[in-house]
Amino acid sequence: MASRISELVLACRDPELLARFWCEVLDFVVLDREDDGAIEIGPREGFGGAQPTIILSPQEDLPPAHTYRLHIDVNATDRDQDAELERLLKLGARRADVGQSGEEPWHVLADPEGNVFCLLRRRLDPL
């Protein structure tokens, strides 16, 4: 038997801001709020399904977002990549330069706190 990813933890300055952003991006909902200010977001069916939840954990002293060694990749499920890029930019994402050539089949973006993520070309079926 193997392990699977059940939760991703993202240290951030403003969990509320990122919860709103990532809930809109992923069609997630707030599942839990902790006394320390952490917010868990995930699929509407809750924890334990096929998709991992994301815990937005408040932390004051963060290194620059571009120095993190892990980033999230997303795929549109109900539109093409160009339409999804437009939607993400309207939600508050911004284009990010991490040294890409411009020929990649994905877009490098940053969330409202500067955490880099990629919008891939390939479409996935909704779960």
Side-chain angles (χ1 to χ4, degrees):
M1 177 178 267
S3 296
R4 72 177 177 87
I5 297 172
S6 58
E7 303 169 350
L8 300 171
V9 179
L10 180 59
C12 59
R13 289 177 188 83
D14 188 343
E16 290 289 341
L17 173 69
L18 289 190
R20 286 190 302 274
F21 176 79
W22 284 108
C23 280
E24 285 292 324
V25 169
L26 301 171
D27 191 30
F28 275 14
V29 296
V30 172
L31 299 173
D32 193 24
R33 293 176 189 275
E34 297 293 328
D35 292 338
D36 68 356
I39 300 173
E40 183 173 15
I41 63 172
R44 295 175 189 283
E45 55 274 4
F47 179 83
Q51 293 182 304
T53 62
I54 300 174
I55 297 174
L56 303 161
S57 179
Q59 186 175 339
E60 291 183 24
D61 297 323
L62 293 172
H66 67 274
T67 64
Y68 293 138
R69 294 173 33 171
L70 177 70
H71 71 264
I72 296 172
D73 287 343
V74 298
N75 282 275
T77 57
D78 62 350
R79 65 198 78 200
D80 68 22
Q81 185 187 39
D82 291 337
E84 183 65 356
L85 175 62
E86 184 177 326
R87 185 180 83 89
L88 296 176
L89 292 171
K90 285 180 182 175
L91 289 174
R94 63 183 188 283
R95 294 179 187 273
D97 183 357
V98 295
Q100 63 269 35
S101 69
E103 299 299 316
E104 294 83 4
W106 61 83
H107 295 281
V108 181
L109 303 169
D111 73 13
E113 284 200 4
N115 299 298
V116 174
F117 68 101
C118 294
L119 171 62
L120 305 182
R121 179 186 306 165
R122 180 183 65 180
R123 286 182 53 192
L124 294 178
D125 292 329
L127 295 177

